[in-house]
Amino acid sequence: MSKTKRIAIYGKGGIGKSTIVSNIAAAYSEDHKVLVIGCDPKADTTRTLVGKRIPTILDIVRKKKGASSEDVLFGGYSGVRCVESGGPEPGVGCAGRGVIVAINLLEELGIFSDDLDVIIYDVLGDVVCGGFAVPLREDFADEVYIVTSGEYMALYAANNICKGIKKLKSRFGGFICNCRGIENEVDIVGRFAERVGSRIVGIIPRSQLVQKSEIEAKTVLEKFPDSEQAELYRKLADSIYQNREFVIPQPLDADEFEEFFHEYFNN
Ligand code: ADP
Ligand code: MG
């Protein structure tokens, strides 16, 4: 039996993680059994795969004792299995805690021991709190990728996530550049990647097709399968699948981080 490939995708809120996760999941589903685990309180990772929002594990366990696999697992596009951890009610509780509850339940229900080829975690990384670090920590994901643009705040979050990865000694596979369309964006991200001892594994341009698909709650692969954008998500999925280069990143300290931008824009 082939070993399951377990991937965690991190990045700042709103940077494009869920779009990437759902599209690469759709790409893998063409010849693999795939499970997607949304670990963001927004709980919208799997919306474009299932065609609507699904109930979250936290919501389900709040309402029902002894939830079963059928309660938490939803079938999506081309057989992708989908789960959302969910989050606490606004103003109470810790968001990362939802991830812990969700992963424990999935384990209890034996969902991980299934015949899966690929498991993808979509994790919010603005704050690498204990809960959000679970996919890095407890032997749930084998490799981690960070989605970033060339923007200051996106790279700031990326650098923080690198600190978490270093601390937990996870295997870092590299950066996915989800372009915002700023000048020299790929170059900025490439240089940042180099500074922390890593590289870019894929580049996704900005495209209107993302919004057009999202409005219909579909992935780009489903809505525009023959588009160039769909091809780029397939290519990214492939680079991640084939990747054998992992590092422990060397994040920048606060001064080095500021200097990186000063140097970049003054040269
Ligand atoms: P995250 O999961 O990191 O919070 P999302 O994947 O939900 O981010 O993306 C945030 C917004 O950015 C969405 O409305 C999405 O449509 C848009 N978006 C993401 N990637 C692209 C892209 N490559 N081109 C255009 N819009 C994008
Ligand atoms: Mg998301």
Side-chain angles (χ1 to χ4, degrees), residues 12-20 40 42 44 122 178-179 204-207 210-211 214 229 233:
K12 174 185 174 290
I15 200 62
K17 296 178 295 297
S18 299
T19 308
I20 284 170
D40 186 325
K42 266 193 292 185
D44 60 353
D122 173 3
N178 194 46
C179 298
I204 300 292
R206 217 173 159 71
S207 162
V210 172
Q211 268 82 31
E214 188 176 48
Q229 190 76 3
Y233 286 117

Coordinates of all heavy atoms in Angstrom, one line a residue, residues 12-20 40 42 44 122 178-179 204-207 210-211 214 229 233, ligand 1:
K12 N -1.2 33.7 5.7 CA -2.0 34.8 6.3 C -3.4 34.7 5.8 O -3.7 34.2 4.7 CB -1.4 36.1 5.7 CG -2.1 37.4 6.0 CD -1.4 38.5 5.3 CE -2.1 39.8 5.4 NZ -3.4 39.8 4.7
G13 N -4.4 35.1 6.6 CA -5.8 35.1 6.3 C -6.0 35.9 5.0 O -5.4 37.0 4.8
G14 N -6.8 35.4 4.1 CA -7.1 36.1 2.9 C -6.1 36.0 1.8 O -6.2 36.7 0.7
I15 N -5.0 35.3 2.0 CA -3.9 35.3 1.0 C -4.2 34.3 -0.2 O -3.5 34.5 -1.2 CB -2.6 34.9 1.7 CG1 -1.4 35.4 0.9 CG2 -2.5 33.4 2.0 CD1 -1.3 36.8 0.7
G16 N -5.1 33.4 0.0 CA -5.5 32.5 -1.1 C -5.2 31.0 -0.8 O -5.2 30.2 -1.7
K17 N -5.1 30.7 0.5 CA -4.9 29.3 0.9 C -6.0 28.4 0.4 O -5.8 27.4 -0.2 CB -4.8 29.1 2.4 CG -3.7 29.8 3.1 CD -3.7 29.6 4.6 CE -4.9 30.3 5.2 NZ -5.0 31.7 5.1
S18 N -7.2 28.8 0.7 CA -8.4 27.9 0.4 C -8.5 27.7 -1.1 O -8.9 26.6 -1.5 CB -9.7 28.4 1.1 OG -9.5 28.5 2.5
T19 N -8.3 28.7 -1.8 CA -8.4 28.6 -3.3 C -7.4 27.6 -3.8 O -7.7 26.8 -4.6 CB -8.2 30.0 -3.9 OG1 -9.1 31.0 -3.3 CG2 -8.5 30.0 -5.4
I20 N -6.2 27.7 -3.2 CA -5.1 26.8 -3.7 C -5.4 25.4 -3.2 O -5.3 24.5 -4.0 CB -3.8 27.3 -3.2 CG1 -3.3 28.5 -4.1 CG2 -2.7 26.2 -3.2 CD1 -2.2 29.3 -3.6
D40 N -9.7 26.5 9.4 CA -9.8 27.9 9.6 C -11.2 28.2 10.1 O -12.2 27.6 9.6 CB -9.6 28.6 8.2 CG -9.6 30.1 8.2 OD1 -10.3 30.7 9.1 OD2 -8.9 30.7 7.4
K42 N -13.1 30.4 9.5 CA -14.0 30.8 8.4 C -14.7 29.6 7.8 O -15.8 29.8 7.2 CB -13.1 31.5 7.3 CG -13.0 33.0 7.4 CD -12.5 33.6 6.2 CE -11.1 33.3 5.9 NZ -10.3 33.8 4.9
D44 N -14.4 27.8 5.1 CA -14.8 27.9 3.7 C -13.9 27.2 2.7 O -14.0 27.4 1.5 CB -15.0 29.3 3.3 CG -13.7 30.1 3.5 OD1 -12.8 29.6 4.0 OD2 -13.7 31.3 3.1
D122 N -5.7 22.9 5.4 CA -5.7 24.3 5.1 C -5.7 25.1 6.4 O -6.7 25.1 7.1 CB -6.9 24.6 4.3 CG -7.1 26.1 4.0 OD1 -6.3 26.9 4.4 OD2 -8.2 26.4 3.4
N178 N 1.2 33.4 -4.5 CA -0.1 33.7 -5.0 C -0.1 35.2 -5.3 O -0.2 36.0 -4.4 CB -1.2 33.3 -4.0 CG -2.6 33.3 -4.7 OD1 -2.8 32.8 -5.7 ND2 -3.6 33.9 -4.0
C179 N 0.0 35.5 -6.5 CA 0.3 36.9 -6.9 C -0.9 37.9 -6.7 O -2.0 37.6 -7.0 CB 0.7 37.0 -8.4 SG 2.2 36.1 -8.7
I204 N 1.2 31.2 -8.8 CA -0.2 31.3 -9.3 C -0.5 32.8 -9.5 O -0.5 33.6 -8.6 CB -1.2 30.8 -8.2 CG1 -0.9 29.3 -7.9 CG2 -2.6 30.9 -8.7 CD1 -1.2 28.3 -9.0
P205 N -0.8 33.1 -10.8 CA -1.1 34.5 -11.1 C -2.5 34.9 -10.6 O -3.3 34.0 -10.3 CB -1.0 34.6 -12.6 CG -1.3 33.2 -13.1 CD -0.9 32.3 -12.0
R206 N -2.7 36.2 -10.5 CA -4.1 36.7 -10.2 C -4.9 36.4 -11.5 O -4.5 36.6 -12.6 CB -4.0 38.2 -10.0 CG -4.9 38.6 -8.9 CD -4.8 40.0 -8.4 NE -6.1 40.2 -7.8 CZ -6.5 39.7 -6.6 NH1 -5.7 38.9 -6.0 NH2 -7.7 40.0 -6.1
S207 N -6.2 36.0 -11.2 CA -7.0 35.7 -12.4 C -8.5 35.9 -12.0 O -8.9 35.5 -10.9 CB -6.8 34.3 -12.9 OG -7.9 33.9 -13.7
V210 N -10.8 33.0 -10.9 CA -11.0 32.6 -9.5 C -12.3 33.1 -8.9 O -13.1 32.3 -8.4 CB -9.8 33.0 -8.7 CG1 -10.0 32.8 -7.2 CG2 -8.5 32.4 -9.1
Q211 N -12.6 34.4 -9.1 CA -13.9 34.9 -8.6 C -15.1 34.3 -9.3 O -16.1 34.0 -8.7 CB -13.9 36.5 -8.8 CG -13.4 37.3 -7.6 CD -11.9 37.4 -7.6 OE1 -11.2 37.4 -8.7 NE2 -11.3 37.4 -6.5
E214 N -15.6 31.0 -7.9 CA -16.0 31.1 -6.5 C -17.4 31.5 -6.3 O -18.1 31.0 -5.4 CB -15.1 32.2 -5.9 CG -15.2 32.3 -4.4 CD -14.1 33.3 -3.9 OE1 -14.1 34.4 -4.4 OE2 -13.4 33.0 -2.9
Q229 N -5.4 29.0 -16.1 CA -5.3 29.0 -14.6 C -5.5 27.6 -14.0 O -4.7 27.2 -13.1 CB -6.4 30.0 -14.1 CG -6.3 30.3 -12.6 CD -5.2 31.3 -12.3 OE1 -4.6 31.8 -13.2 NE2 -5.1 31.6 -11.0
Y233 N -2.8 25.4 -11.6 CA -3.1 24.7 -10.3 C -2.7 23.3 -10.5 O -2.1 22.7 -9.5 CB -4.6 24.8 -10.0 CG -5.0 26.2 -9.5 CD1 -5.9 27.0 -10.1 CD2 -4.4 26.7 -8.3 CE1 -6.3 28.2 -9.7 CE2 -4.8 28.0 -7.8 CZ -5.8 28.7 -8.5 OH -6.1 29.9 -8.0
Ligands
ADP1 P1 -7.6 32.3 2.5 O1 -8.1 30.9 2.5 O2 -6.1 32.4 2.6 O3 -8.2 33.2 3.6 P2 -8.9 32.6 0.0 O4 -8.5 31.4 -0.8 O5 -10.3 32.5 0.6 O6 -7.9 33.0 1.1 O7 -8.8 33.8 -1.0 C1 -9.2 35.1 -0.6 C2 -9.8 35.9 -1.7 O8 -8.9 36.1 -2.7 C3 -11.0 35.1 -2.4 O9 -12.1 35.9 -2.5 C4 -10.4 34.6 -3.7 O10 -11.4 34.6 -4.7 C5 -9.3 35.6 -4.0 N1 -8.2 35.0 -4.7 C6 -7.4 34.0 -4.2 N2 -6.4 33.7 -5.1 C7 -6.7 34.4 -6.2 C8 -6.1 34.5 -7.5 N3 -5.0 33.8 -7.9 N4 -6.6 35.4 -8.4 C9 -7.6 36.2 -8.1 N5 -8.3 36.1 -6.9 C10 -7.8 35.3 -5.9

